[in-house]
């Protein structure tokens, strides 16, 4: 039966493993308490075009998601109206595109009378992300769809290995999140730049990915046993490897050196950026809450909610 469907989906942060995850290395991801709401319903009257999307999000991605979600379904003859409202900053590593892909797919399927399983929603949402970004690991789709802290790895056959990591709330308190400004480059552009670097300098990128792989494993064990000091080491090492593949703009690197000089660690979370002032979401790590309170925040960074 067709009808109105409402879906709420959280944002996400990648704690460890971005970029390497695209090439089959593991990532650790967690949902964030910033949400996107999507409503889909049959349009009141038939008119030109089968769909109308009302959104403060980039229109293209919503259109792609509606198209992929409704492919092969019995769409109501009058078409669908899709309405999107979001508190997730777009294009900045907070999981806005994954949330949009998952929420639009789930809402449109349900509005067309098809209750897709979570795995089917993940498959379609990954198709949306792949169309948008060229190549996508799917780890962010899993984060927003399943919630919690997850270990994920895309296998060579395309299937996804996924395991929940039971992390104490106090351990997640090691992290604070900041928005350093929207990157100038999109996720698709950053993934393509890393691909090009891989072709030109395979040893450099291979070394960086090997470090990211190891740090993701170390970081996930540290999360499990609640070891804040080991998490700080893992975040420092992850950031160094991400800088080696040129996904951290110069100004953000300098700001992160300043945080390290104060005894903490910080890394980009998500695709990052090549040029410009911002790299989107930044994770700052230190086990002591009082240290976070004393931290001199880099100029232009705004605090965000916690993981
Ligand atoms: O910046 P975001 O939230 O789009 O995250 C991208 C993460 C990458 O590893 C760079 C790409 C991917 O598909 O995993």
């Amino acid at each position: 039966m067709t009808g109105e469907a409402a879906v709420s989906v959280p944002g996400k942060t990648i704690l460890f493993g971005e970029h390497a995850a695209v090439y089959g290395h593991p990532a650790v991801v967690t949902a964030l308490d910033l949400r996107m709401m999507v409503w889909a319903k049959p349009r009141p009257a038939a008119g030109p075009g089968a769909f109308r999307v009302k959104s403060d999000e980039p229109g293209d991605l919503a259109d792609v998601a509606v198209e992929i979600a409704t492919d092969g379904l019995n769409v109501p003859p009058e078409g669908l109206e899709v309405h999107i409202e979001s508190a997730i900053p777009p294009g900045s590593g907070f999981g806005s595109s994954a949330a949009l892909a998952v929420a639009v797919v789930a809402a449109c399927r349900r509005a067309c009378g098809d209750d897709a399983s979570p795995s089917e929603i993940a498959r379609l949402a990954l198709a949306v992300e792949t169309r948008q970004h060229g190549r996508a690991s799917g780890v962010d789709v899993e984060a927003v769809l399943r919630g919690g802290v997850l270990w994920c790895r895309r296998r060579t056959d395309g299937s996804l290995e996924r395991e929940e990591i039971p992390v104490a709330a106090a351990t997640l308190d090691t992290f604070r999140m900041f928005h350093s400004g929207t990157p100038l480059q999109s996720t698709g552009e950053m993934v393509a730049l890393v691909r090009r670097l891989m072709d030109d300098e395979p040893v450099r990128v291979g070394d960086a990915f090997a470090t990211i792989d190891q740090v993701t494993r170390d970081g996930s064990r540290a999360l499990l046993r609640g070891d804040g000091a080991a998490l700080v080491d893992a975040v420092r090492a992850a950031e160094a490897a991400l800088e080696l593949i040129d996904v951290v703009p110069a100004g953000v690197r300098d700001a992160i050196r300043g945080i390290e000089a104060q005894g903490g660690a910080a890394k980009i979370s998500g695709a990052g950026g090549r040029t410009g002032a911002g790299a989107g979401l930044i994770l700052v790590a230190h086990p002591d809450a009082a240290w976070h309170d004393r931290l001199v925040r880099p100029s232009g960074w705004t605090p965000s909610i916690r993981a």
Side-chain angles (χ1 to χ4, degrees):
M1 224 180 62
T2 58
E4 178 162 0
V7 175
S8 165
V9 173
K12 68 97 189 48
T13 176
I14 300 179
L15 296 178
F16 299 106
E18 50 276 273
H19 285 292
V22 175
Y23 298 93
H25 295 282
V28 176
V29 293
T30 175
L32 292 181
D33 199 13
L34 287 169
R35 300 192 81 86
M36 176 181 287
M37 278 294 301
V38 173
W39 294 264
K41 62 177 181 187
R43 290 175 69 178
F51 306 106
R52 199 170 65 199
V53 178
K54 289 194 229 156
S55 165
D56 51 2
E57 291 296 303
D60 293 359
L61 186 59
D63 290 340
V64 169
V66 173
E67 184 197 319
I68 289 180
T70 54
D71 187 32
L73 287 190
N74 278 333
V75 178
E78 61 278 23
L80 284 181
E81 184 169 290
V82 178
H83 183 85
I84 303 169
E85 275 179 27
S86 180
I88 307 172
S92 303
F94 289 82
S96 166
S97 65
L100 186 140
V102 165
V104 170
V105 164
C108 289
R109 297 297 287 207
R110 203 170 300 158
C112 293
D114 174 285
D115 253 329
S117 67
S119 303
E120 179 64 358
I121 293 170
R123 188 184 69 74
L124 294 167
L126 178 62
V128 176
E129 289 242 293
T130 303
R131 178 95 73 86
Q132 189 74 1
H133 303 320
R135 185 168 177 154
S137 67
V139 300
D140 46 357
V141 164
E142 291 299 319
V144 306
L145 186 63
R146 320 270 176 187
V149 182
L150 297 178
W151 160 278
C152 298
R153 194 175 72 83
R154 180 147 308 275
R155 301 189 189 97
T156 40
D157 67 2
S159 64
L160 197 110
E161 185 182 309
R162 163 173 36 87
E163 198 178 325
E164 185 160 356
I165 310 178
V167 181
T171 305
L172 286 177
D173 204 33
T174 302
F175 297 103
R176 295 291 185 280
M177 288 181 287
F178 294 88
H179 193 343
S180 64
T182 306
L184 288 184
Q185 293 78 24
S186 69
T187 296
E189 286 167 332
M190 292 311 295
V191 169
L193 283 168
V194 171
R195 171 81 246 179
R196 207 168 309 148
L197 189 63
M198 205 172 189
D199 292 340
D200 294 345
E201 296 191 51
V203 175
R204 172 166 146 196
V205 177
D207 285 350
F209 282 0
T211 302
I212 293 173
D213 190 298
Q214 188 56 51
V215 156
T216 303
R217 292 169 199 278
D218 294 345
S220 114
R221 280 189 289 267
L223 283 166
L224 200 56
R225 61 175 195 273
D227 186 341
L231 283 172
V232 169
D233 291 344
V235 167
R236 274 190 195 218
E239 171 63 20
L242 289 162
E243 292 181 11
L244 202 58
I245 56 169
D246 275 349
V247 295
V248 188
V252 174
R253 287 182 195 202
D254 292 347
I256 289 177
R257 291 299 88 78
I259 289 169
E260 290 169 353
Q262 295 176 65
K267 69 177 276 290
I268 63 152
S269 171
R274 174 67 58 93
T275 55
L281 174 53
I282 308 286
L283 285 177
V284 174
H286 195 282
D288 178 9
W291 180 90
H292 284 288
D293 294 341
R294 286 194 307 270
L295 176 69
V296 181
R297 190 192 330 146
S299 85
W301 290 21
T302 49
S304 188
I305 57 103
R306 297 183 194 177

